[in-house]
Amino acid sequence: MTRLHYSWLICAGGTLLLFCTVGLNTSAFSVYQPFLIAGGLSNTEASEITTVRSLAALLSFLLVERFYRKTDLRLGVTLAAVGSALAFVLFGFSSFFACYCLAAVVAGVSYGFGGV
């Protein structure tokens, strides 16, 4: 029986990180947007949530080098993945626009730190 090379585990972990921080953060919101509009948000407010997420991601792109210099790579990746999960929890418990924007900021920061 051959042993799995460690580099394949690193590739699998990186793929899983990109799926959680980039893939889920960018594609899952479009599924819930009609429910947010039906729940009382206007079309503009629902679209603004993705804009806030994108702006937070852009700003975190600029800080990602500093972030990983201050934290260990494993800690930084863990924080990004936990931030992505926290964003979905915040989205789930949100009931008004400001809370959705806070969840979008958390999602954008985890997207920026985990995707870059």
Side-chain angles (χ1 to χ4, degrees):
M1 182 171 170
T2 61
R3 199 172 144 189
L4 187 63
H5 199 271
Y6 189 65
S7 61
W8 286 108
L9 295 175
I10 293 171
C11 289
T15 302
L16 186 61
L17 176 71
L18 286 174
F19 175 74
C20 291
T21 58
V22 177
L24 290 178
N25 278 338
T26 56
S27 63
F29 184 78
S30 63
V31 173
Y32 295 107
Q33 191 169 3
F35 297 106
L36 294 176
I37 293 170
L41 291 180
S42 68
N43 287 331
T44 304
E45 287 173 332
S47 297
E48 188 69 26
I49 293 170
T50 58
T51 303
V52 169
R53 185 198 66 219
S54 297
L55 184 62
L58 177 66
L59 293 175
S60 65
F61 289 159
L62 300 174
L63 300 173
V64 70
E65 182 182 2
R66 260 189 242 155
F67 173 73
Y68 280 108
R69 284 182 193 247
K70 297 254 184 209
T71 63
D72 183 46
L73 181 62
R74 289 182 184 178
L75 177 63
V77 165
T78 302
L79 290 174
V82 168
S84 183
L86 177 65
F88 282 103
V89 169
L90 289 173
F91 274 123
F93 285 111
S94 296
S95 58
F96 54 96
F97 181 66
C99 290
Y100 288 119
C101 285
L102 175 68
V105 167
V106 173
V109 169
S110 68
Y111 171 30
F113 290 159
V116 178

